[in-house]
Amino acid sequence: MAADSAAPAPTVVHRAPKALLHDHLDGGLRPETIVELADAAGYRALPTTDADELGRWFRDAADSGSLERYLETFSHTVAVMQTEEQLARVARECALDLAADGVVYAESRFAPEQHVGGGLSLERVVEAVLAGFREGEQEAAAAGTPIRVRTLLTAMRHAANGREIAELVVRYRDREVAGFDIAGAEAGFPPTRFLDAFEYLRRENAHFTIHAGEAFGLPSIWEAIQWCGADRLGHGVRIVDDITLDDAGRAHLGLLAAYVRDRRIPLEMCPSSNIQTGAAQSVAEHPITMLKDLRFRVTVNTDNRLMSGTSMTREMQLLVDEAGWSLEDLRWATINAMKSAFLPFDERLALIDHVVKPGYAALGAH
């Protein structure tokens, strides 16, 4: 890794192949799509029907520091994702937007239980999203920006549908459903509430990630790994609470941090989102850079592109501009993500060897 290499230009960062593991489908809608779908469905609760203003409202609400206002943003996106046509359109546009941003592999997550308000079954929700992703993939390939999109099915922590959603994951695993996730408030809703779902998934040889170590600290990470057996950690930023720096600036890892690093447990890190939720103060001070330097299995992600006004290119560019990342660092994080993808080994390797590495080599990375 050439720490002293020149910072890559924005055009280079945009062209770099990207792999995305942590992106919420209901957090990435185009503002103009929300306006159109709301109008067609008779949904009148939007704060504005001007697409540009609406985009700004979502970002401002997410920046407000109020969790209530942040969560309110999702009530508007979920409201226009209640029919098969709405879900398929949102998924199709997600695939196209990611492909246009240079993403070659993505895992997009959503909670099927939040999209049954219009009378759809959980199965029809999943099938509509999958159909939209396939359509988007075909259009992206035809446009010369091929992308592979798989999905993770999420269970909400405050609900009690974990086993049902886990069974959906297994039922649709051969149709690009890559794995399972739990999301929502960490405090008061520990991952062990879903032990039955996690044990079922392990018996079925299925993959799962757990949102842990974002709003809540080390106990959340410890439970996710040691009790639940998570393959990856959603965010995981608070693992730094188990790392101390001595007077000489040397890092000393506690037992949990050492375990996470030793086991190469992937951290799905989302810098801009963490700043909005108060898990980090700035990109420059975000723990992702220290964790990269300590060689944790760090990956770069968007979380909610609409609420953070972001993209993979923007997240990477912020790391370049504010945290001194090089093109080699971006390449390393991208390969980390591909290594950590819920995708068969040979398919991961093919993307690394035939897409990611040649793409970065063409841009000057080694």
Side-chain angles (χ1 to χ4, degrees):
M1 306 285 290
D4 59 348
S5 58
T11 52
V12 170
V13 175
H14 183 261
R15 286 163 52 205
K18 303 167 184 74
L20 174 56
L21 302 181
H22 194 119
D23 187 77
H24 290 268
L25 184 63
D26 57 337
L29 282 70
R30 300 172 181 174
E32 57 269 26
T33 294
I34 300 172
V35 171
E36 289 176 23
L37 292 178
D39 182 58
Y43 179 73
R44 301 287 178 244
L46 291 182
T48 174
T49 56
D50 178 279
D52 291 337
E53 287 181 10
L54 186 62
R56 284 193 294 274
W57 179 86
F58 274 101
R59 292 190 295 276
D60 291 345
D63 276 338
S64 67
S66 161
L67 181 61
E68 291 76 15
R69 194 159 176 224
Y70 186 85
L71 293 176
E72 180 196 343
T73 62
F74 290 93
S75 67
H76 297 304
T77 58
V78 170
V80 297
M81 296 172 67
Q82 296 298 327
T83 69
E84 288 171 288
E85 295 77 14
Q86 291 170 342
L87 288 163
R89 174 175 173 178
V90 168
R92 169 184 162 271
E93 291 178 354
C94 170
L96 289 171
D97 291 347
L98 293 177
D101 190 41
V103 178
V104 297
Y105 177 84
E107 292 175 4
S108 177
R109 61 188 73 190
F110 70 100
E113 63 199 75
Q114 293 190 307
H115 305 284
V116 296
L120 292 179
S121 65
L122 292 171
E123 289 80 5
R124 286 175 69 187
V125 169
V126 173
E127 288 168 12
V129 170
L130 293 175
F133 282 142
R134 300 295 79 77
E135 187 178 348
E137 283 178 335
Q138 291 167 8
E139 288 184 44
T145 54
I147 185 173
R148 175 87 176 270
V149 184
R150 308 192 85 205
T151 195
L152 305 178
L153 303 185
T154 298
M156 300 307 295
R157 295 176 101 113
H158 61 270
N161 303 316
R163 176 62 181 256
E164 189 175 10
I165 303 303
E167 289 175 356
L168 269 183
V169 168
V170 171
R171 199 174 317 150
Y172 286 92
R173 70 163 87 201
D174 295 326
R175 292 180 55 185
E176 298 285 40
V177 170
F180 176 80
D181 172 41
I182 61 170
E186 284 185 71
F189 300 98
T192 43
R193 291 182 81 225
F194 291 84
L195 267 180
D196 178 50
F198 297 131
E199 289 170 355
Y200 166 77
L201 289 162
R202 286 207 298 270
R203 287 196 300 273
E204 294 294 334
N205 305 305
H207 295 294
F208 56 94
T209 180
I210 296 177
H211 277 75
E214 180 190 17
F216 205 65
L218 294 173
S220 177
I221 294 174
W222 179 77
E223 277 200 20
I225 296 168
Q226 307 300 12
W227 276 91
C228 304
D231 295 297
R232 303 191 317 230
L233 293 174
H235 297 288
V237 66
R238 296 288 295 279
I239 196 64
V240 296
D241 294 353
D242 200 37
I243 301 172
T244 56
L245 296 176
D246 63 23
D247 292 340
R250 288 186 297 265
H252 298 271
L253 276 59
L255 291 175
L256 182 60
Y259 185 89
V260 168
R261 185 172 71 168
D262 291 349
R263 287 288 301 272
R264 317 307 297 142
I265 295 171
L267 304 175
E268 304 164 359
M269 310 203 88
C270 311
S272 291
S273 174
N274 289 162
I275 293 164
Q276 287 179 303
T277 58
Q281 294 306 304
S282 67
V283 172
E285 300 168 39
H286 193 285
I288 189 171
T289 300
M290 179 176 75
L291 294 168
K292 166 185 70 72
D293 293 342
L294 290 171
R295 285 299 180 265
F296 280 75
R297 179 68 71 81
V298 165
T299 67
V300 179
N301 302 275
T302 51
D303 204 10
N304 297 292
R305 287 170 287 118
L306 172 64
M307 287 70 177
S308 295
T310 199
S311 64
M312 279 297 287
T313 293
R314 181 175 178 272
E315 294 299 306
M316 288 180 160
Q317 191 65 54
L318 285 170
L319 290 167
V320 168
D321 293 344
E322 299 184 29
W325 283 40
S326 66
L327 187 62
E328 284 77 13
D329 291 329
L330 300 179
R331 174 187 184 272
W332 178 78
T334 302
I335 291 174
N336 278 350
M338 282 311 316
K339 286 179 178 178
S340 309
F342 292 161
L343 186 68
F345 175 76
D346 54 348
E347 296 176 45
R348 275 183 274 154
L349 209 56
L351 277 165
I352 291 170
D353 288 343
H354 303 304
V355 179
V356 175
K357 287 183 176 178
Y360 275 92
L363 296 171
H366 306 295

